[in-house]
Amino acid sequence: MAEDSPKRRKANFNEAETEVLIEQVLKHEQLLFAAGPGRASAGQKRKVWELIRHKVNPVAACPRDVEDLKKRWRDLKRRDRSKLCRLSQGCGPPPPPALGLLLAPEELPPTAAPPA
């Protein structure tokens, strides 16, 4: 009967997993996301994602695979951009201090830019 039960979903990413993921992806950002003639091959990118997986799994609530990490990264980027879009249109609360973690300073709206 256990064989017929539906697959259970994995636990949500905890804060430590998310921090390690962000730190590692930003560390290897050029290799993973660079465009143009100097970009990495698919094999090199796969090795980097495996390295990131090995860094995230020790702090993970459950074992994560590379696809889990890629999806989490896409979700983080989408949420960050979505928040920035809402803030640049003038609606919503003032920006939190960590806003723009995934975006370059020139991509931040003037109201969300940190003081110099």
Side-chain angles (χ1 to χ4, degrees):
M1 179 125 187
E3 297 167 353
D4 295 334
S5 64
K7 184 178 174 183
R8 296 192 55 167
R9 70 178 194 88
K10 291 184 178 181
N12 291 342
F13 275 72
N14 61 35
E15 190 174 325
E17 288 173 278
T18 302
E19 286 178 13
V20 172
L21 175 64
I22 291 170
E23 173 188 313
Q24 291 300 311
V25 170
L26 291 177
K27 180 178 177 182
H28 300 286
E29 183 177 25
Q30 185 64 31
L31 190 66
L32 290 171
F33 307 116
R39 70 175 187 233
S41 69
Q44 290 171 317
K45 290 178 184 181
R46 189 172 34 254
K47 286 180 184 178
V48 171
W49 279 110
E50 283 295 325
L51 173 75
I52 293 170
R53 183 178 67 86
H54 287 295
K55 300 272 184 167
V56 170
N57 275 339
V59 297
C62 64
R64 305 290 183 184
D65 57 26
V66 170
E67 289 308 312
D68 295 334
L69 299 176
K70 287 180 178 180
K71 182 179 185 315
R72 178 65 173 163
W73 179 252
R74 284 190 303 267
D75 290 347
L76 288 168
K77 285 194 318 182
R78 180 183 46 79
R79 283 187 195 150
D80 202 31
R81 288 191 180 120
S82 175
K83 285 180 187 176
L84 280 173
C85 181
R86 285 194 309 269
L87 289 171
S88 67
Q89 294 172 357
C91 53
L99 183 65
L101 175 67
L102 302 177
L103 298 175
E106 60 272 6
E107 294 177 305
L108 292 171
T111 58

